[in-house]
Amino acid sequence: MGLRPNLLTRRTAGVASTTLALLLSTAAVGVVPTASAFSAAPSDACVEPADVHTDARIKAGGHAKHEPNELTSAQVREREADLAAALRERANFRPGAGATPVASVTIPVVVHVIQRDSTRAGGNIPDSMITQQISVLNEAYAGATGGAATAFGFQLQRINRVTNPAWYPIVQGSSAERSMKTTLREGGKNTLNIYLGELSDDLLGWATFPQKKLNSMDGVVVLSESLPGGTATNYNQGDTGTHEVGHWLNLYHTFQGGCTGSGDGVGDTPAEASPAFQCPTGRDTCTATGLDPITNFMDYTYDSCMYQFTPGQASRMLTAWNAYRAA
């Protein structure tokens, strides 16, 4: 699978015609809150609060002090067992006693812009970048960029601007991050909270996976300059947000588990031994059928290379929504 020329044209034209930028997504792992993100290099374990595990997307060429690991096989088993249990619990609800499964979802979004001061360099990005990020999410999840249509749409509810040097930059796994989210998070399990700002350790973003009980850490953290029209070269078309929201909706990376086992738990994403960077057309790292899914939003390639979710991923996200986040 290679980059389709019309995709790059669409995105380039979109950024040139507006100064808007994009939102992020994300996810958490296990029965305890966990987080997931993009990384541009193999990662080592990081020290973080006891109830948080993260893997993170790192800027190309970056050397993060904390490069979080991919999920271990044990963590994946734990997450999958938890999902199965949540689905069983839902199936056992008496008619009228529990939530009704949904087929389409409009997700309310609250965006928190964390600033050091009132300057652009200090994190004060324009509202237009945020509204464009929402547009990028809606296009990606509707299949408008060339992938499968999913059940999800996004509606911006509020932009909350906070000037607090103690939270800037946002340091992944820190007590300051916990303080920020505990203070600012709004809404229930169905509300996507996005935190924008400068990030620590060359990270582009991270997110939490869904879980049965809402935790204040739930949400997505994204580098503000990765929004459409931002200054993060090769990562400034909004797909860090797209990727992280995928984790928040329970998707793993396409390279989860490598060439063996159940991989990312989705049957129509070809197995991939390791993350793909830049846009390596024709890459094939596993003997199983299919080239590496380098154009999938859940790989690590440049924004210009990504354009799709698969039908299997769309199904997995909706299943998890009904298990964890539906009212």
Side-chain angles (χ1 to χ4, degrees), residues 1 254-255 269-272 283 291-297 299 301:
M1 295 184 296
T254 53
F255 48 86
T269 57
E272 185 177 25
R283 184 177 190 254
L291 299 177
D292 290 357
I294 66 166
T295 58
N296 195 284
F297 288 121
D299 209 334
T301 50

Side-chain angles (χ1 to χ4, degrees), residues 177-293:
E177 181 195 3
R178 177 169 296 279
S179 174
M180 174 190 74
K181 289 183 173 179
T182 301
T183 301
L184 300 180
R185 195 191 185 285
E186 299 181 17
K189 290 192 290 185
N190 69 324
T191 301
L192 172 60
N193 280 247
I194 296 173
Y195 302 87
L196 303 178
E198 179 67 21
L199 307 187
S200 65
D201 303 325
D202 286 327
L203 296 174
L204 290 168
W206 59 89
T208 57
F209 290 100
Q211 55 180 349
K212 295 177 188 177
K213 185 177 180 181
L214 178 63
N215 185 282
S216 62
M217 297 299 285
D218 181 79
V220 172
V221 179
V222 175
L223 176 70
S224 55
E225 293 295 346
S226 76
L227 272 60
T231 60
T233 303
N234 297 316
Y235 303 103
N236 59 357
Q237 296 179 19
D239 285 329
T240 295
T242 305
H243 176 109
E244 297 304 339
V245 171
H247 288 309
W248 189 79
L249 292 170
N250 208 43
L251 292 184
Y252 300 136
H253 293 129
T254 53
F255 48 86
Q256 176 66 46
C259 298
T260 61
S262 60
D264 64 353
V266 179
D268 58 4
T269 57
E272 185 177 25
S274 59
F277 305 111
Q278 301 179 4
C279 194
T281 302
R283 184 177 190 254
D284 190 7
T285 56
C286 294
T287 57
T289 302
L291 299 177
D292 290 357

Side-chain angles (χ1 to χ4, degrees), residues 34-52:
T34 38
S36 177
F38 276 133
S39 174
S43 55
D44 299 313
C46 67
V47 178
E48 50 204 7
D51 65 341
V52 178

Side-chain angles (χ1 to χ4, degrees), residues 30-326:
V31 179
V32 294
T34 38
S36 177
F38 276 133
S39 174
S43 55
D44 299 313
C46 67
V47 178
E48 50 204 7
D51 65 341
V52 178
H53 172 87
T54 57
D55 58 54
R57 190 186 191 190
I58 301 169
K59 299 174 186 176
H63 301 284
K65 295 178 181 178
H66 303 291
E67 296 180 4
N69 284 335
E70 291 307 301
L71 303 188
T72 65
S73 296
Q75 288 168 332
V76 170
R77 287 195 298 271
E78 181 183 22
R79 276 213 54 78
E80 295 305 294
D82 189 66
L83 175 59
L87 290 170
R88 285 194 300 272
E89 289 175 14
R90 189 178 196 91
N92 290 333
F93 279 140
R94 298 188 310 276
T100 302
V102 297
S104 63
V105 182
T106 299
I107 298 175
V109 181
V110 178
V111 176
H112 308 279
V113 181
I114 310 303
Q115 306 172 183
R116 181 185 61 214
D117 51 45
S118 62
T119 66
R120 174 71 177 265
N124 185 22
I125 61 171
D127 286 358
S128 59
M129 290 179 69
I130 295 168
T131 56
Q132 182 61 21
Q133 175 66 77
I134 297 295
S135 295
V136 166
L137 288 177
N138 279 316
E139 287 185 358
Y141 282 83
T145 58
T150 79
F152 302 98
F154 302 85
Q155 185 173 76
L156 181 63
Q157 301 292 304
R158 188 164 99 83
I159 298 174
N160 175 36
R161 294 183 177 275
V162 179
T163 301
N164 187 341
W167 294 344
Y168 194 94
I170 304 172
V171 178
Q172 182 249 341
S174 68
S175 59
E177 181 195 3
R178 177 169 296 279
S179 174
M180 174 190 74
K181 289 183 173 179
T182 301
T183 301
L184 300 180
R185 195 191 185 285
E186 299 181 17
K189 290 192 290 185
N190 69 324
T191 301
L192 172 60
N193 280 247
I194 296 173
Y195 302 87
L196 303 178
E198 179 67 21
L199 307 187
S200 65
D201 303 325
D202 286 327
L203 296 174
L204 290 168
W206 59 89
T208 57
F209 290 100
Q211 55 180 349
K212 295 177 188 177
K213 185 177 180 181
L214 178 63
N215 185 282
S216 62
M217 297 299 285
D218 181 79
V220 172
V221 179
V222 175
L223 176 70
S224 55
E225 293 295 346
S226 76
L227 272 60
T231 60
T233 303
N234 297 316
Y235 303 103
N236 59 357
Q237 296 179 19
D239 285 329
T240 295
T242 305
H243 176 109
E244 297 304 339
V245 171
H247 288 309
W248 189 79
L249 292 170
N250 208 43
L251 292 184
Y252 300 136
H253 293 129
T254 53
F255 48 86
Q256 176 66 46
C259 298
T260 61
S262 60
D264 64 353
V266 179
D268 58 4
T269 57
E272 185 177 25
S274 59
F277 305 111
Q278 301 179 4
C279 194
T281 302
R283 184 177 190 254
D284 190 7
T285 56
C286 294
T287 57
T289 302
L291 299 177
D292 290 357
I294 66 166
T295 58
N296 195 284
F297 288 121
M298 301 313 294
D299 209 334
Y300 277 3
T301 50
Y302 287 161
D303 284 12
S304 60
C305 195
M306 295 178 165
Y307 68 82
Q308 66 177 330
F309 291 114
T310 67
Q313 288 174 315
S315 177
R316 179 179 171 84
M317 286 187 280
L318 184 58
T319 296
W321 180 272
N322 283 313
Y324 290 116
R325 296 195 184 278

